């Protein structure tokens, strides 16, 4: 018999990691409505559970109540919470020399502080 995700456990992991429903949906790659159904316990053994568990640093078995072990090792849960794009960027960053890494860090810090952080700034020229 299919089992429902434990909404209590799912919400507790989200709170622990300070991940909102919207952010979890974005990281999993589903609509906010689909995520809401999972969080509210309206879906049985959702196909999203493996990705949700990975992002929340736990297992599907824990989320559905088949295990009482909530956490994976911290380093694994941090790495698993990265999106594919973030994992790729990190891999490329690690391949850089130390001086190049410093340049990338400075560029990212400048972009993060920029008040004009909009998509239009990165759009193609006319």
């Amino acid at each position: 018999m299919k089992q429902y995700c434990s909404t209590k456990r799912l919400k507790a992991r989200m709170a622990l990691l300070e991940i909102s429903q919207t952010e979890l949906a974005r990281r999993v790659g589903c609509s906010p409505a689909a995520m809401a159904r999972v969080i509210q316990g309206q879906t049985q053994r959702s196909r999203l559970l493996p990705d949700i568990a990975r992002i929340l640093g736990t297992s599907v078995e824990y989320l559905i109540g088949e295990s009482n072990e909530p956490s994976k090792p911290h380093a694994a849960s941090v790495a698993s919470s990265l999106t594919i794009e973030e994992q790729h960027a990190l891999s490329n960053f690690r391949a850089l020399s130390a001086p190049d890494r410093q340049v990338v860090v400075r560029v990212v810090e400048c972009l993060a502080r920029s008040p004009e952080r909009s998509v239009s700034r990165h759009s193609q020229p006319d």
Side-chain angles (χ1 to χ4, degrees):
M1 182 173 123
K2 293 182 179 181
Q3 295 186 17
Y4 289 91
C5 179
S6 166
T7 59
K8 182 178 178 181
R9 288 182 173 193
L10 179 56
K11 289 176 183 178
R13 293 298 295 179
M14 289 171 62
L16 177 70
L17 298 172
E18 299 179 350
I19 296 177
S20 69
Q21 177 177 316
T22 303
E23 177 63 13
L24 186 56
R26 184 190 69 76
R27 289 186 188 185
V28 168
C30 70
S31 70
M35 186 58 63
R37 286 190 295 276
V38 173
I39 291 172
Q40 294 167 4
Q42 297 175 352
T43 59
Q44 290 183 343
R45 194 67 187 227
S46 170
R47 65 176 177 73
L48 303 175
L49 284 180
D51 288 331
I52 292 170
R54 177 182 52 79
I55 291 163
L56 296 179
T58 191
S59 66
V60 171
E61 292 75 21
Y62 177 75
L63 291 177
I64 64 172
E66 290 181 358
S67 166
N68 289 323
E69 183 59 42
S71 297
K72 293 181 180 177
H74 181 66
S77 65
V78 170
S80 68
S81 69
L82 298 175
T83 65
I84 297 299
E85 183 179 44
E86 291 166 335
Q87 290 173 18
H88 184 68
L90 182 58
S91 177
N92 286 334
F93 180 80
R94 287 179 175 161
L96 297 173
S97 66
D100 287 345
R101 285 183 183 187
Q102 291 174 351
V103 171
V104 170
V105 168
R106 280 190 232 120
V107 168
V108 170
E109 287 172 346
C110 287
L111 288 172
R113 287 191 305 262
S114 173
E116 299 176 10
R117 292 176 33 206
S118 67
V119 175
S120 62
R121 183 175 71 168
H122 302 287
S123 62
Q124 305 249 339
D126 294 337

